Amino acid sequence: MPEAHIEEIIEPDLPIIDPHHHLWDLRPLVASFPTPLHPFVETLVPAAYYNFDTLHADTHSGHNIVGTVFMECGAFYRNGAEHALKPVGEVEFVNGVAAQGASGLYGSYRPCAAIIGHADMTLGDGAVPVLEALIAAGNGRFKGIRHAAAWDADPEVLGPPFHAPAGLYNSDAFRAGFKHLGKMGLTFDAWLLEPQLPDVISLARAFPDQPIVLDHCGTPLGTASYKGKLHERFDVWRESIRELAKCPNVSVKLGGLAMAFCGMPEQGPAAGTASETLAAMWHPYIETCIDAFGPERGMFESNYPVDRWGATYLVLWNTFKRLAHGASAEEKHALFAGNAARTYGIEHLLAA
């Protein structure tokens, strides 16, 4: 592992709500994967155990992180429960982490102030009792779900942890469950890959009143059979982003580009790439997203610890601040905290 790249903090007082990170214990899972490791699995090795303490260390490495949003990742599922209700265990665990932060022992910092869990939307009407159980487990912090649809015909793109079926968001079974989210006041985070973006466009058009957040700039691909094709596919990605942005119910998370899937950079984990280099690399993607969605529908995200592949937490946020250099104070507030607070119902974090 190379030595960590150290930089001075840019705009250290700028309030940030990190709207996308995970907590997990993947040590048993990582140990079970065959070698040589897929790049995504290699990402997980040094961060296979990511909990309150490691999150606290990252979020207190220099930037002014006032609160965070937890994103489902299949962690700490309830043992012995029926299959549909297993994800309730994850929300129970994360709510405990949130309570630890809310104790005040760590100052005004509020980790996991909002929780995004998982429910299987293909259960149709059967998703309703699962959503009700998740809401109860969140004790006011549960705000929505993510049902990832990331899939590619080349199995080497995603590697062994991912098994979503092709065309998930277009399936009747998925939409039969999805229709209940709006009735229950819940958000939806969509994660899928750049070639799949037409699927989330179709979903957003079919449910124009449902708030949808596109994760990771739509995940441009630069690995496996897509290696070396980022430039070639950029125009296709950009056209999809512009089309999706025409749906006023959709916002976008500005990040995820440091994942191994994207190949920006190709070397990792935490290979010491400077924020200036990363900003130049990511600029076309971030600029396109902000131009398409506007500063009122975008939010910078860490996607930690997954994005540890390309950058330390300190360098990651420095990169985002470089990318937002020309924005007004109001636009920066929206992109770094305000939009996340509004989307996930945690405006109280910014009230002080």
Side-chain angles (χ1 to χ4, degrees), residues 215-239:
D215 293 348
H216 314 329
C217 297
T219 315
L221 294 173
T223 188
S225 55
Y226 295 89
K227 187 176 178 66
K229 295 183 179 180
L230 281 167
H231 179 74
E232 174 186 327
R233 294 195 61 86
F234 181 81
D235 288 348
V236 176
W237 168 85
R238 180 171 56 189
E239 183 57 34

PDB file of all heavy atoms in Angstrom, residues 215-239:
ATOM      1  N   ASP A 215     -27.380   7.393  -8.348  1.00  0.00           N
ATOM      2  CA  ASP A 215     -26.095   7.271  -7.661  1.00  0.00           C
ATOM      3  C   ASP A 215     -24.930   7.332  -8.648  1.00  0.00           C
ATOM      4  O   ASP A 215     -25.019   6.842  -9.780  1.00  0.00           O
ATOM      5  CB  ASP A 215     -26.023   5.944  -6.897  1.00  0.00           C
ATOM      6  CG  ASP A 215     -27.004   5.883  -5.731  1.00  0.00           C
ATOM      7  OD1 ASP A 215     -27.570   6.935  -5.365  1.00  0.00           O
ATOM      8  OD2 ASP A 215     -27.203   4.775  -5.190  1.00  0.00           O
ATOM      9  N   HIS A 216     -23.835   7.925  -8.192  1.00  0.00           N
ATOM     10  CA  HIS A 216     -22.515   7.795  -8.823  1.00  0.00           C
ATOM     11  C   HIS A 216     -22.453   8.293 -10.271  1.00  0.00           C
ATOM     12  O   HIS A 216     -21.796   7.669 -11.114  1.00  0.00           O
ATOM     13  CB  HIS A 216     -22.048   6.341  -8.760  1.00  0.00           C
ATOM     14  CG  HIS A 216     -22.226   5.680  -7.438  1.00  0.00           C
ATOM     15  ND1 HIS A 216     -22.161   6.362  -6.245  1.00  0.00           N
ATOM     16  CD2 HIS A 216     -22.472   4.377  -7.106  1.00  0.00           C
ATOM     17  CE1 HIS A 216     -22.366   5.505  -5.243  1.00  0.00           C
ATOM     18  NE2 HIS A 216     -22.558   4.314  -5.735  1.00  0.00           N
ATOM     19  N   CYS A 217     -23.127   9.396 -10.554  1.00  0.00           N
ATOM     20  CA  CYS A 217     -23.096   9.980 -11.912  1.00  0.00           C
ATOM     21  C   CYS A 217     -23.501   8.963 -12.979  1.00  0.00           C
ATOM     22  O   CYS A 217     -23.140   9.112 -14.152  1.00  0.00           O
ATOM     23  CB  CYS A 217     -21.705  10.518 -12.243  1.00  0.00           C
ATOM     24  SG  CYS A 217     -21.110  11.856 -11.208  1.00  0.00           S
ATOM     25  N   GLY A 218     -24.247   7.936 -12.589  1.00  0.00           N
ATOM     26  CA  GLY A 218     -24.645   6.921 -13.564  1.00  0.00           C
ATOM     27  C   GLY A 218     -23.576   5.896 -13.859  1.00  0.00           C
ATOM     28  O   GLY A 218     -23.738   5.066 -14.767  1.00  0.00           O
ATOM     29  N   THR A 219     -22.483   5.894 -13.099  1.00  0.00           N
ATOM     30  CA  THR A 219     -21.419   4.889 -13.170  1.00  0.00           C
ATOM     31  C   THR A 219     -20.847   4.675 -14.575  1.00  0.00           C
ATOM     32  O   THR A 219     -21.093   3.652 -15.233  1.00  0.00           O
ATOM     33  CB  THR A 219     -21.875   3.533 -12.583  1.00  0.00           C
ATOM     34  OG1 THR A 219     -22.561   3.753 -11.345  1.00  0.00           O
ATOM     35  CG2 THR A 219     -20.676   2.627 -12.319  1.00  0.00           C
ATOM     36  N   PRO A 220     -20.083   5.641 -15.075  1.00  0.00           N
ATOM     37  CA  PRO A 220     -19.309   5.394 -16.299  1.00  0.00           C
ATOM     38  C   PRO A 220     -18.357   4.229 -16.081  1.00  0.00           C
ATOM     39  O   PRO A 220     -17.855   4.039 -14.972  1.00  0.00           O
ATOM     40  CB  PRO A 220     -18.539   6.706 -16.500  1.00  0.00           C
ATOM     41  CG  PRO A 220     -19.199   7.708 -15.620  1.00  0.00           C
ATOM     42  CD  PRO A 220     -19.831   6.962 -14.497  1.00  0.00           C
ATOM     43  N   LEU A 221     -18.109   3.451 -17.116  1.00  0.00           N
ATOM     44  CA  LEU A 221     -17.325   2.228 -16.969  1.00  0.00           C
ATOM     45  C   LEU A 221     -15.977   2.324 -17.683  1.00  0.00           C
ATOM     46  O   LEU A 221     -15.904   2.772 -18.822  1.00  0.00           O
ATOM     47  CB  LEU A 221     -18.110   1.034 -17.525  1.00  0.00           C
ATOM     48  CG  LEU A 221     -19.388   0.666 -16.766  1.00  0.00           C
ATOM     49  CD1 LEU A 221     -20.158  -0.410 -17.515  1.00  0.00           C
ATOM     50  CD2 LEU A 221     -19.067   0.226 -15.343  1.00  0.00           C
ATOM     51  N   GLY A 222     -14.945   1.865 -16.973  1.00  0.00           N
ATOM     52  CA  GLY A 222     -13.612   1.859 -17.555  1.00  0.00           C
ATOM     53  C   GLY A 222     -12.833   0.626 -17.175  1.00  0.00           C
ATOM     54  O   GLY A 222     -11.604   0.670 -17.038  1.00  0.00           O
ATOM     55  N   THR A 223     -13.543  -0.488 -17.008  1.00  0.00           N
ATOM     56  CA  THR A 223     -12.894  -1.722 -16.585  1.00  0.00           C
ATOM     57  C   THR A 223     -13.374  -2.893 -17.430  1.00  0.00           C
ATOM     58  O   THR A 223     -14.378  -2.785 -18.154  1.00  0.00           O
ATOM     59  CB  THR A 223     -13.189  -1.996 -15.095  1.00  0.00           C
ATOM     60  OG1 THR A 223     -12.402  -3.096 -14.636  1.00  0.00           O
ATOM     61  CG2 THR A 223     -14.659  -2.307 -14.876  1.00  0.00           C
ATOM     62  N   ALA A 224     -12.665  -4.013 -17.319  1.00  0.00           N
ATOM     63  CA  ALA A 224     -13.014  -5.244 -18.048  1.00  0.00           C
ATOM     64  C   ALA A 224     -13.197  -4.925 -19.538  1.00  0.00           C
ATOM     65  O   ALA A 224     -12.336  -4.301 -20.141  1.00  0.00           O
ATOM     66  CB  ALA A 224     -14.243  -5.905 -17.426  1.00  0.00           C
ATOM     67  N   SER A 225     -14.323  -5.313 -20.132  1.00  0.00           N
ATOM     68  CA  SER A 225     -14.516  -5.093 -21.564  1.00  0.00           C
ATOM     69  C   SER A 225     -14.715  -3.624 -21.927  1.00  0.00           C
ATOM     70  O   SER A 225     -14.727  -3.268 -23.109  1.00  0.00           O
ATOM     71  CB  SER A 225     -15.719  -5.909 -22.061  1.00  0.00           C
ATOM     72  OG  SER A 225     -16.878  -5.609 -21.301  1.00  0.00           O
ATOM     73  N   TYR A 226     -14.856  -2.751 -20.913  1.00  0.00           N
ATOM     74  CA  TYR A 226     -14.972  -1.316 -21.156  1.00  0.00           C
ATOM     75  C   TYR A 226     -13.645  -0.583 -20.958  1.00  0.00           C
ATOM     76  O   TYR A 226     -13.596   0.639 -21.098  1.00  0.00           O
ATOM     77  CB  TYR A 226     -16.024  -0.708 -20.220  1.00  0.00           C
ATOM     78  CG  TYR A 226     -17.420  -1.207 -20.475  1.00  0.00           C
ATOM     79  CD1 TYR A 226     -17.899  -2.354 -19.820  1.00  0.00           C
ATOM     80  CD2 TYR A 226     -18.272  -0.563 -21.365  1.00  0.00           C
ATOM     81  CE1 TYR A 226     -19.184  -2.824 -20.049  1.00  0.00           C
ATOM     82  CE2 TYR A 226     -19.560  -1.027 -21.599  1.00  0.00           C
ATOM     83  CZ  TYR A 226     -20.008  -2.164 -20.939  1.00  0.00           C
ATOM     84  OH  TYR A 226     -21.278  -2.622 -21.175  1.00  0.00           O
ATOM     85  N   LYS A 227     -12.613  -1.294 -20.623  1.00  0.00           N
ATOM     86  CA  LYS A 227     -11.320  -0.662 -20.372  1.00  0.00           C
ATOM     87  C   LYS A 227     -10.864   0.104 -21.612  1.00  0.00           C
ATOM     88  O   LYS A 227     -10.896  -0.411 -22.732  1.00  0.00           O
ATOM     89  CB  LYS A 227     -10.273  -1.718 -20.000  1.00  0.00           C
ATOM     90  CG  LYS A 227      -8.932  -1.149 -19.543  1.00  0.00           C
ATOM     91  CD  LYS A 227      -8.005  -2.272 -19.116  1.00  0.00           C
ATOM     92  CE  LYS A 227      -6.642  -1.759 -18.700  1.00  0.00           C
ATOM     93  NZ  LYS A 227      -6.721  -0.928 -17.479  1.00  0.00           N
ATOM     94  N   GLY A 228     -10.473   1.358 -21.405  1.00  0.00           N
ATOM     95  CA  GLY A 228     -10.013   2.187 -22.503  1.00  0.00           C
ATOM     96  C   GLY A 228     -11.127   2.810 -23.330  1.00  0.00           C
ATOM     97  O   GLY A 228     -10.858   3.470 -24.338  1.00  0.00           O
ATOM     98  N   LYS A 229     -12.393   2.640 -22.905  1.00  0.00           N
ATOM     99  CA  LYS A 229     -13.516   3.112 -23.711  1.00  0.00           C
ATOM    100  C   LYS A 229     -14.263   4.294 -23.081  1.00  0.00           C
ATOM    101  O   LYS A 229     -15.333   4.673 -23.556  1.00  0.00           O
ATOM    102  CB  LYS A 229     -14.497   1.968 -23.960  1.00  0.00           C
ATOM    103  CG  LYS A 229     -13.908   0.835 -24.796  1.00  0.00           C
ATOM    104  CD  LYS A 229     -14.944  -0.239 -25.074  1.00  0.00           C
ATOM    105  CE  LYS A 229     -14.353  -1.354 -25.944  1.00  0.00           C
ATOM    106  NZ  LYS A 229     -15.349  -2.419 -26.231  1.00  0.00           N
ATOM    107  N   LEU A 230     -13.718   4.888 -22.025  1.00  0.00           N
ATOM    108  CA  LEU A 230     -14.401   6.017 -21.399  1.00  0.00           C
ATOM    109  C   LEU A 230     -14.626   7.145 -22.401  1.00  0.00           C
ATOM    110  O   LEU A 230     -15.723   7.712 -22.486  1.00  0.00           O
ATOM    111  CB  LEU A 230     -13.594   6.523 -20.199  1.00  0.00           C
ATOM    112  CG  LEU A 230     -13.724   5.714 -18.903  1.00  0.00           C
ATOM    113  CD1 LEU A 230     -12.644   6.139 -17.916  1.00  0.00           C
ATOM    114  CD2 LEU A 230     -15.110   5.877 -18.287  1.00  0.00           C
ATOM    115  N   HIS A 231     -13.595   7.491 -23.147  1.00  0.00           N
ATOM    116  CA  HIS A 231     -13.718   8.572 -24.126  1.00  0.00           C
ATOM    117  C   HIS A 231     -14.712   8.192 -25.223  1.00  0.00           C
ATOM    118  O   HIS A 231     -15.554   9.007 -25.619  1.00  0.00           O
ATOM    119  CB  HIS A 231     -12.354   8.894 -24.733  1.00  0.00           C
ATOM    120  CG  HIS A 231     -12.396   9.986 -25.756  1.00  0.00           C
ATOM    121  ND1 HIS A 231     -12.555  11.309 -25.419  1.00  0.00           N
ATOM    122  CD2 HIS A 231     -12.324   9.943 -27.111  1.00  0.00           C
ATOM    123  CE1 HIS A 231     -12.571  12.046 -26.520  1.00  0.00           C
ATOM    124  NE2 HIS A 231     -12.435  11.250 -27.564  1.00  0.00           N
ATOM    125  N   GLU A 232     -14.635   6.946 -25.656  1.00  0.00           N
ATOM    126  CA  GLU A 232     -15.501   6.468 -26.733  1.00  0.00           C
ATOM    127  C   GLU A 232     -16.971   6.516 -26.335  1.00  0.00           C
ATOM    128  O   GLU A 232     -17.844   6.817 -27.160  1.00  0.00           O
ATOM    129  CB  GLU A 232     -15.088   5.046 -27.091  1.00  0.00           C
ATOM    130  CG  GLU A 232     -15.962   4.336 -28.094  1.00  0.00           C
ATOM    131  CD  GLU A 232     -15.548   2.880 -28.281  1.00  0.00           C
ATOM    132  OE1 GLU A 232     -14.337   2.584 -28.180  1.00  0.00           O
ATOM    133  OE2 GLU A 232     -16.441   2.039 -28.506  1.00  0.00           O
ATOM    134  N   ARG A 233     -17.272   6.250 -25.047  1.00  0.00           N
ATOM    135  CA  ARG A 233     -18.660   6.160 -24.600  1.00  0.00           C
ATOM    136  C   ARG A 233     -19.151   7.445 -23.926  1.00  0.00           C
ATOM    137  O   ARG A 233     -20.311   7.506 -23.499  1.00  0.00           O
ATOM    138  CB  ARG A 233     -18.822   4.984 -23.626  1.00  0.00           C
ATOM    139  CG  ARG A 233     -18.585   3.628 -24.289  1.00  0.00           C
ATOM    140  CD  ARG A 233     -19.101   2.494 -23.403  1.00  0.00           C
ATOM    141  NE  ARG A 233     -20.535   2.606 -23.173  1.00  0.00           N
ATOM    142  CZ  ARG A 233     -21.484   2.116 -23.982  1.00  0.00           C
ATOM    143  NH1 ARG A 233     -21.149   1.496 -25.104  1.00  0.00           N
ATOM    144  NH2 ARG A 233     -22.762   2.261 -23.680  1.00  0.00           N
ATOM    145  N   PHE A 234     -18.289   8.455 -23.860  1.00  0.00           N
ATOM    146  CA  PHE A 234     -18.667   9.664 -23.124  1.00  0.00           C
ATOM    147  C   PHE A 234     -19.922  10.319 -23.708  1.00  0.00           C
ATOM    148  O   PHE A 234     -20.831  10.731 -22.968  1.00  0.00           O
ATOM    149  CB  PHE A 234     -17.512  10.670 -23.108  1.00  0.00           C
ATOM    150  CG  PHE A 234     -17.840  11.928 -22.355  1.00  0.00           C
ATOM    151  CD1 PHE A 234     -17.758  11.962 -20.966  1.00  0.00           C
ATOM    152  CD2 PHE A 234     -18.257  13.075 -23.016  1.00  0.00           C
ATOM    153  CE1 PHE A 234     -18.080  13.111 -20.260  1.00  0.00           C
ATOM    154  CE2 PHE A 234     -18.586  14.234 -22.319  1.00  0.00           C
ATOM    155  CZ  PHE A 234     -18.485  14.251 -20.941  1.00  0.00           C
ATOM    156  N   ASP A 235     -19.996  10.438 -25.017  1.00  0.00           N
ATOM    157  CA  ASP A 235     -21.150  11.107 -25.633  1.00  0.00           C
ATOM    158  C   ASP A 235     -22.456  10.361 -25.366  1.00  0.00           C
ATOM    159  O   ASP A 235     -23.508  10.988 -25.177  1.00  0.00           O
ATOM    160  CB  ASP A 235     -20.937  11.253 -27.137  1.00  0.00           C
ATOM    161  CG  ASP A 235     -19.895  12.302 -27.488  1.00  0.00           C
ATOM    162  OD1 ASP A 235     -19.503  13.073 -26.580  1.00  0.00           O
ATOM    163  OD2 ASP A 235     -19.455  12.348 -28.649  1.00  0.00           O
ATOM    164  N   VAL A 236     -22.385   9.023 -25.332  1.00  0.00           N
ATOM    165  CA  VAL A 236     -23.579   8.220 -25.028  1.00  0.00           C
ATOM    166  C   VAL A 236     -24.018   8.480 -23.591  1.00  0.00           C
ATOM    167  O   VAL A 236     -25.209   8.691 -23.309  1.00  0.00           O
ATOM    168  CB  VAL A 236     -23.288   6.717 -25.241  1.00  0.00           C
ATOM    169  CG1 VAL A 236     -24.490   5.872 -24.831  1.00  0.00           C
ATOM    170  CG2 VAL A 236     -22.909   6.447 -26.686  1.00  0.00           C
ATOM    171  N   TRP A 237     -23.031   8.465 -22.685  1.00  0.00           N
ATOM    172  CA  TRP A 237     -23.332   8.739 -21.271  1.00  0.00           C
ATOM    173  C   TRP A 237     -23.926  10.134 -21.123  1.00  0.00           C
ATOM    174  O   TRP A 237     -24.945  10.324 -20.445  1.00  0.00           O
ATOM    175  CB  TRP A 237     -22.053   8.617 -20.434  1.00  0.00           C
ATOM    176  CG  TRP A 237     -22.199   9.152 -19.042  1.00  0.00           C
ATOM    177  CD1 TRP A 237     -22.692   8.499 -17.959  1.00  0.00           C
ATOM    178  CD2 TRP A 237     -21.892  10.486 -18.606  1.00  0.00           C
ATOM    179  NE1 TRP A 237     -22.710   9.330 -16.857  1.00  0.00           N
ATOM    180  CE2 TRP A 237     -22.219  10.552 -17.232  1.00  0.00           C
ATOM    181  CE3 TRP A 237     -21.368  11.616 -19.229  1.00  0.00           C
ATOM    182  CZ2 TRP A 237     -22.038  11.711 -16.479  1.00  0.00           C
ATOM    183  CZ3 TRP A 237     -21.185  12.772 -18.478  1.00  0.00           C
ATOM    184  CH2 TRP A 237     -21.514  12.813 -17.120  1.00  0.00           C
ATOM    185  N   ARG A 238     -23.319  11.136 -21.753  1.00  0.00           N
ATOM    186  CA  ARG A 238     -23.777  12.518 -21.619  1.00  0.00           C
ATOM    187  C   ARG A 238     -25.207  12.688 -22.133  1.00  0.00           C
ATOM    188  O   ARG A 238     -26.027  13.370 -21.491  1.00  0.00           O
ATOM    189  CB  ARG A 238     -22.828  13.448 -22.375  1.00  0.00           C
ATOM    190  CG  ARG A 238     -23.232  14.925 -22.297  1.00  0.00           C
ATOM    191  CD  ARG A 238     -22.152  15.812 -22.879  1.00  0.00           C
ATOM    192  NE  ARG A 238     -21.833  15.426 -24.254  1.00  0.00           N
ATOM    193  CZ  ARG A 238     -20.797  15.935 -24.932  1.00  0.00           C
ATOM    194  NH1 ARG A 238     -20.007  16.838 -24.376  1.00  0.00           N
ATOM    195  NH2 ARG A 238     -20.579  15.540 -26.175  1.00  0.00           N
ATOM    196  N   GLU A 239     -25.536  12.066 -23.247  1.00  0.00           N
ATOM    197  CA  GLU A 239     -26.886  12.172 -23.782  1.00  0.00           C
ATOM    198  C   GLU A 239     -27.902  11.548 -22.822  1.00  0.00           C
ATOM    199  O   GLU A 239     -28.998  12.097 -22.619  1.00  0.00           O
ATOM    200  CB  GLU A 239     -26.961  11.491 -25.145  1.00  0.00           C
ATOM    201  CG  GLU A 239     -28.327  11.602 -25.815  1.00  0.00           C
ATOM    202  CD  GLU A 239     -28.796  13.037 -26.001  1.00  0.00           C
ATOM    203  OE1 GLU A 239     -27.947  13.928 -26.231  1.00  0.00           O
ATOM    204  OE2 GLU A 239     -30.022  13.279 -25.884  1.00  0.00           O
TER     205      GLU A 239
END
